[in-house]
Amino acid sequence: LSPSSAASDVYKRQHSLTAENICLGVGSDESIDAIIRACCIPAKEKILVLPPTYSMYSVCAHINDVEVVECPLVTSDNSFQANTDEVIKTVQNDPSIKLIFITSPGNPTGAKVETSRIEKILQNWDRGMVVVDEAYIDFCGGSTAPLVTKYPNLCVLQTLSKSFGLAGIRLGLTFAS
């Protein structure tokens, strides 16, 4: 083994996902609601979404009396990537924001947000949780779920409803530290 691959193997062993990192729920929607309820004080705290995005984040926020702040994805070049610097600036300037919801790959865009952008947000904001919704990850690969062992403020959502075709059983997975 080369030194870099040996270091990579050590990292993988120390940062592997285990059963303790997984919570099952009734699809991802239940997890979205539970995360908002657990992390936000009604009528005082906010979530940040990156439109165009999945509408359930806003629906659950409104049900729970939590304000929604928007920081649009980059659309000028059709990349539909997170505007990382703007996201960081927004959350650093508003301490009432407790959750950032990132859909990757996006619904409805289909674009996978670069992991380096997600990590930059995680490294520059620690007053809340970054939630990466990977409902369609099986169509493009490269899940951020293993990063929950590295970043305690990361939560990753997945579902068996899409690529597994099991919408009827409503099984969602939440990965967290």
Side-chain angles (χ1 to χ4, degrees):
L1 290 173
S2 68
S4 63
S5 65
S8 175
D9 287 343
V10 169
Y11 177 82
K12 286 178 186 173
R13 280 194 305 276
Q14 291 175 341
H15 299 283
S16 296
L17 291 170
T18 68
E20 292 180 1
N21 298 111
I22 302 171
C23 179
L24 301 178
V26 181
S28 294
D29 292 351
E30 180 184 42
S31 295
I32 292 165
D33 184 62
I35 291 166
I36 291 172
R37 287 173 188 256
C39 296
C40 297
I41 298 170
K44 291 186 180 180
E45 294 179 328
K46 305 172 187 175
I47 68 167
L48 179 87
V49 298
L50 286 62
T53 192
Y54 184 44
S55 62
M56 189 55 72
Y57 314 131
S58 296
V59 169
C60 287
H62 293 303
I63 288 170
N64 291 294
D65 196 19
V66 172
E67 186 177 332
V68 178
V69 176
E70 294 186 352
C71 187
L73 294 169
V74 176
T75 57
S76 59
D77 61 359
N78 291 321
S79 68
F80 297 103
Q81 289 297 310
N83 187 340
T84 310
D85 293 333
E86 191 62 31
V87 168
I88 293 167
K89 184 175 110 182
T90 301
V91 294
Q92 286 178 341
N93 289 333
D94 189 344
S96 66
I97 297 173
K98 297 301 175 188
L99 295 168
I100 300 171
F101 283 94
I102 300 172
T103 310
S104 180
N107 170 6
T109 68
K112 184 177 183 298
V113 176
E114 296 163 357
T115 302
S116 60
R117 290 175 185 259
I118 295 169
E119 285 196 272
K120 184 175 179 182
I121 293 167
L122 288 161
Q123 292 163 358
N124 288 281
W125 184 63
D126 61 1
R127 285 196 315 254
M129 185 80 67
V130 176
V131 181
V132 180
D133 187 342
E134 294 184 338
Y136 296 95
I137 197 64
D138 295 316
F139 297 106
C140 67
S143 174
T144 58
L147 291 176
V148 303
T149 62
K150 182 177 180 183
Y151 298 102
N153 60 329
L154 174 63
C155 187
V156 178
L157 308 177
Q158 293 183 2
T159 180
L160 299 184
S161 298
K162 310 300 187 244
S163 67
F164 289 89
L166 299 173
I169 66 167
R170 303 284 303 136
L171 182 60
L173 302 104
T174 301
F175 297 91
S177 63

